[in-house]
Amino acid sequence: AQLQFIIVVKENETLRMVIYGHMKMKNHRNLIVITKVGILKIMERINIIESGSSGNCYIYNEMIMVDVGISLKKIKSKCDLNKIKLVLISHEHSDHFNKTTIKNLAKDKPLLRFAVGSYLVNQLVELGINKRNIDVLEVGKVYDYGLFKIVPIKLFHDVSCYGYRIFLNDGYKIFHATDTCTLDRITAKNYDFYGIEANYINEEELH
């Protein structure tokens, strides 16, 4: 089955589940778990433009884009690109790394910064991204961008892949992980938002 995503809100020790999207017989589902604040305040922070095998793009606090796996036209229709300060990319698969969109995004905003693991630098340069606009991230290091801090996490996929801890200056904390087969040995306690995309197979497919 597929759940486009699930939101779980914790209010006064009571869990409330809100289900969005639709049910289908698929091998892919996205789980997004939210704690503490209510839906309206969450939506001020979190803009899930697209999530799923067809493409992924998230905007956090209007200024941090995570993954560019959809068309630039769709991104422009759902957010203000002038507010984007940084683009984080998890890995090279096309539903997270749309080459045409990244190339056109860089043309539209030539000073926009991209922050990636070393495994994506050459691909960005081949798309015309100025190397001076690429920050090469290392797992576990803290990168201070003034309005927020980023800490990359090593994830477990069939290609090199990063997740991200995002710390906003007002204390709001985001944990983002995508396409990982496990979160073992990764701790993330007391974050305000957990964006976790996971692949799975149903029980029938195991036999």
Side-chain angles (χ1 to χ4, degrees):
Q2 180 188 42
L3 291 177
Q4 190 65 12
F5 51 87
I6 297 176
I7 293 179
V8 179
V9 183
K10 188 176 182 182
E11 295 178 320
N12 299 323
E13 303 305 319
T14 300
L15 288 177
R16 181 160 56 99
M17 183 178 288
V18 183
I19 301 178
Y20 291 84
H22 55 278
M23 301 292 292
K24 284 186 177 179
M25 293 306 295
K26 297 284 185 181
N27 297 334
H28 189 281
R29 90 178 156 184
N30 306 312
L31 301 178
I32 295 171
V33 182
I34 300 171
T35 64
K36 293 186 178 179
V37 296
I39 292 289
L40 291 178
K41 288 187 177 180
I42 290 166
M43 298 315 293
E44 293 173 1
R45 302 275 192 176
I46 313 300
N47 181 359
I48 305 166
I49 298 178
E50 190 73 34
S51 177
S53 297
S54 60
N56 296 269
C57 185
Y58 308 79
I59 309 294
Y60 291 127
N61 221 47
E62 297 187 312
M63 56 186 171
I64 305 163
M65 182 182 295
V66 181
D67 284 339
V68 189
I70 60 176
S71 71
L72 186 58
K73 181 179 179 180
K74 186 164 188 178
I75 293 173
K76 286 181 174 181
S77 73
K78 299 292 184 178
C79 76
D80 183 353
L81 281 182
N82 292 322
K83 294 182 178 180
I84 301 297
K85 306 298 183 186
L86 183 70
V87 178
L88 299 167
I89 303 177
S90 59
H91 64 289
E92 66 182 23
H93 288 162
S94 61
D95 57 328
H96 298 263
F97 188 94
N98 184 307
K99 292 182 179 181
T100 300
T101 301
I102 292 169
K103 186 175 183 177
N104 290 334
L105 178 61
K107 283 182 179 179
D108 275 12
K109 293 180 63 64
L111 299 180
L112 183 62
R113 300 207 67 78
F114 291 78
V116 298
S118 59
Y119 52 89
L120 286 177
V121 172
N122 288 341
Q123 293 190 57
L124 288 178
V125 171
E126 288 171 4
L127 293 174
I129 313 299
N130 191 319
K131 206 165 186 178
R132 290 177 296 181
N133 293 341
I134 302 173
D135 298 329
V136 184
L137 307 180
E138 296 181 32
V139 169
K141 288 192 176 182
V142 180
Y143 297 87
D144 191 341
Y145 287 92
L147 295 174
F148 53 87
K149 296 180 176 67
I150 303 293
V151 179
I153 312 158
K154 180 182 178 181
L155 298 179
F156 303 92
H157 196 18
D158 56 9
V159 295
S160 296
C161 186
Y162 277 0
Y164 298 99
R165 304 178 193 271
I166 300 170
F167 303 97
L168 303 180
N169 277 359
D170 62 3
Y172 197 85
K173 299 190 297 183
I174 298 165
F175 177 87
H176 184 98
T178 185
D179 283 21
T180 188
C181 66
T182 181
L183 290 172
D184 288 349
R185 300 183 301 279
I186 297 174
T187 59
K189 294 182 179 179
N190 301 317
Y191 280 68
D192 297 287
F193 180 87
Y194 297 83
I196 303 172
E197 184 190 45
N199 293 324
Y200 79 106
I201 58 176
N202 59 41
E203 189 172 349
E204 290 80 4
E205 292 173 312
L206 290 174
H207 304 288

